[in-house]
Amino acid sequence: MTFTLRWGIIATGGISTKFAEDLFIDPATRESDVAHKIAAVGSRSVASAQKFIDRLQSNPSPNQWGEVGWNAWGLEHGVLDGAKAYGSYDEVFADANVDAVYIGTPHTFHHANAKAALLAGKHVLCEKPFTFDLEELDELIKIAKEKNLFLMEAVWTRFHPIAYALQDLLKSGRLGKIKRMSADFSMNFEPDTRPDSNRMVDPEQGGGSLLDQGPYPSVWAMLALHQHPDNTDSDPRVVASYQKVYERSGVDAASTWVVSWKDFADATLVTDMTASGFNDACAVITCEEADVALAYPPWRPERFTIVPHASFEPGSIKERETNEFPATKAGGGMHYEADEVARCIRDGKTESERMPLAESRITQRWLDDVRKAGGTVLKDRKSTVGQ
């Protein structure tokens, strides 16, 4: 019998919309052994939550990924049957029909929202960055362990086919030893055209490029370097960083940091909300025999290319080779992480082996180190631990 996880979704913005839409996709498109149901939606008003549900149920327009008829399978199979609209998050947390809560609120609210859900006895999938700082994350981990609840950061990219394929290539030895890598999430959000309340501009929402974009170059560094069998450093640290301040609101316009894995390799990671990303390579991994270039965008790449070294450089690989790995046959690819949560909860696990809490702590510390060494208005912001 297929295990069905009953979700409560809090916040009704763009990221929650994408996540909810992907729960409607037929599990057979990704050979999944689990299914999903939306039991409750929480917003700042009942009307807003109901509007979210109504759109999922009846909107004939394309979904966030441009697909028409995206909700047909889900409606036929009861993904939204009986879903309740609530005008507060606490009501979602108190709903006995909710097994797990998806948190899609702004970064600076993640800790408080996840804490309330855990204290109410719910499993939690929380959007990235997990929390504002490491102290907040450690409090959530402590609560989850005390209550024997599942907790995971929603780094959906880790579960895409290309992520596994890239790791298999790097671990195969075909490219020789890894020397270094770079990963870049630049995207021109045109912040000057956005209101002060926009999440990329507003410090109260954790605005700027570091917290919003930083998890994506970080995930490729973690997959390519940290999880590589040649790595023996369990605690890689930031050894250098720089932040460019967006003067209008004092958040960072761009951030660059270097992480070092002792006796292995270094990664240079970049975020920028004022410039477009390079379409052919959001990440480049330099190896002995050839390089690997991962195509843009870093959150959902579907292609990587093995690139030979220059003719006057050493390297056994002489022909360029491009490999395609579609994220999914339908939907946007957020259902992979939802499936992981369902399997873990079904199997009684409190964390994911693919997205372990220890690795979330590592990347959270990187963001802390870069922020605290920079000159933005968020440099000395206090956590909400204990509140």
Side-chain angles (χ1 to χ4, degrees):
M1 183 176 179
T2 301
F3 175 82
T4 299
L5 186 64
R6 301 174 299 175
W7 288 94
I9 296 175
I10 69 164
T12 52
I15 193 68
S16 292
T17 299
K18 291 176 181 178
F19 180 80
E21 288 178 346
D22 274 5
L23 299 184
F24 281 76
I25 304 302
D26 183 355
T29 62
R30 56 195 186 276
E31 299 180 0
S32 179
D33 55 343
V34 292
H36 306 277
K37 179 178 176 62
I38 298 174
V41 175
S43 189
R44 286 174 287 187
S45 69
V46 173
S48 177
Q50 189 60 55
K51 181 179 179 181
F52 184 89
I53 292 172
D54 290 345
R55 182 190 176 280
L56 293 174
Q57 189 164 22
S58 61
N59 195 337
S61 64
N63 65 3
Q64 297 283 320
W65 313 104
E67 297 164 337
V68 177
W70 51 272
N71 58 357
W73 185 93
L75 293 178
E76 182 180 345
H77 289 80
V79 170
L80 206 60
D81 288 359
K84 294 181 179 179
Y86 291 116
S88 73
Y89 301 156
D90 286 341
E91 290 174 286
V92 175
F93 304 153
D95 191 324
N97 291 316
V98 171
D99 302 314
V101 174
Y102 170 81
I103 295 174
T105 52
H107 320 321
T108 48
F109 298 95
H110 286 178
H111 170 254
N113 298 150
K115 181 177 179 179
L118 290 168
L119 289 174
K122 303 303 183 186
H123 304 290
V124 170
L125 173 65
C126 182
E127 266 307 329
K128 59 208 165 301
F130 217 146
T131 51
F132 179 73
D133 64 14
L134 184 58
E135 190 178 6
E136 291 181 350
L137 176 54
D138 281 343
E139 185 176 53
L140 296 183
I141 292 173
K142 182 175 183 290
I143 295 171
K145 290 186 181 301
E146 289 174 348
K147 290 186 166 291
N148 197 37
L149 293 168
F150 179 85
L151 177 65
M152 190 179 90
E153 185 178 13
V155 186
W156 62 312
T157 311
R158 280 195 181 225
F159 302 96
H160 290 176
I162 194 170
Y164 296 94
L166 178 66
Q167 286 186 301
D168 288 344
L169 171 65
L170 295 174
K171 293 175 182 178
S172 72
R174 180 184 172 197
L175 303 185
K177 292 183 178 180
I178 298 175
K179 294 293 189 178
R180 59 182 171 85
M181 73 168 291
S182 61
D184 178 355
F185 182 10
S186 294
M187 187 174 189
N188 189 1
F189 285 93
E190 299 181 294
D192 290 346
T193 68
R194 297 177 181 263
D196 292 343
S197 60
N198 182 266
R199 65 180 176 84
M200 296 300 295
V201 176
D202 182 11
E204 293 304 310
Q205 298 184 66
S209 75
L210 177 68
L211 294 180
D212 191 271
Q213 299 169 259
Y216 287 108
S218 296
V219 69
W220 293 111
M222 292 298 289
L223 291 175
L225 301 186
H226 192 75
Q227 291 191 353
H228 195 281
D230 289 347
N231 173 46
T232 58
D233 186 355
S234 63
D235 190 23
R237 295 298 185 101
V238 174
V239 295
S241 66
Y242 165 73
Q243 287 192 292
K244 180 179 179 180
V245 177
Y246 180 62
E247 297 295 343
R248 175 181 155 203
S249 64
V251 300
D252 73 295
S255 293
T256 300
W257 64 105
V258 179
V259 179
S260 180
W261 282 261
K262 187 178 179 181
D263 300 324
F264 181 42
D266 296 342
T268 300
L269 309 179
V270 177
T271 60
D272 192 332
M273 68 175 184
T274 67
S276 299
F278 182 49
N279 199 44
D280 285 345
C282 65
V284 176
I285 303 159
T286 301
C287 303
E288 286 181 317
E289 305 301 334
D291 300 333
V292 184
L294 192 70
Y296 193 89
W299 63 86
R300 191 178 182 252
E302 297 187 315
R303 180 180 74 255
F304 65 70
T305 301
I306 299 173
V307 183
H309 294 319
S311 59
F312 49 82
E313 288 278 353
S316 62
I317 295 177
K318 304 302 181 183
E319 299 293 328
R320 179 182 292 259
E321 176 186 318
T322 297
N323 299 269
E324 303 279 350
F325 297 93
T328 178
K329 296 177 182 178
M334 299 190 83
H335 37 50
Y336 289 111
E337 67 180 0
D339 290 350
E340 174 71 2
V341 176
R343 291 188 189 101
C344 288
I345 292 174
R346 177 196 65 191
D347 297 342
K349 297 179 180 179
T350 56
E351 64 180 293
S352 164
E353 295 175 2
R354 180 68 176 173
M355 183 67 252
L357 294 170
E359 293 191 10
S360 287
R361 292 190 77 257
I362 290 170
T363 56
Q364 190 72 55
R365 180 185 285 118
W366 295 351
L367 301 183
D368 281 7
D369 289 347
V370 176
R371 174 177 54 81
K372 291 177 180 179
T376 74
V377 295
L378 296 176
K379 176 179 180 180
D380 299 317
R381 182 187 174 104
K382 303 300 182 184
S383 74
T384 58
V385 168
Q387 298 179 23

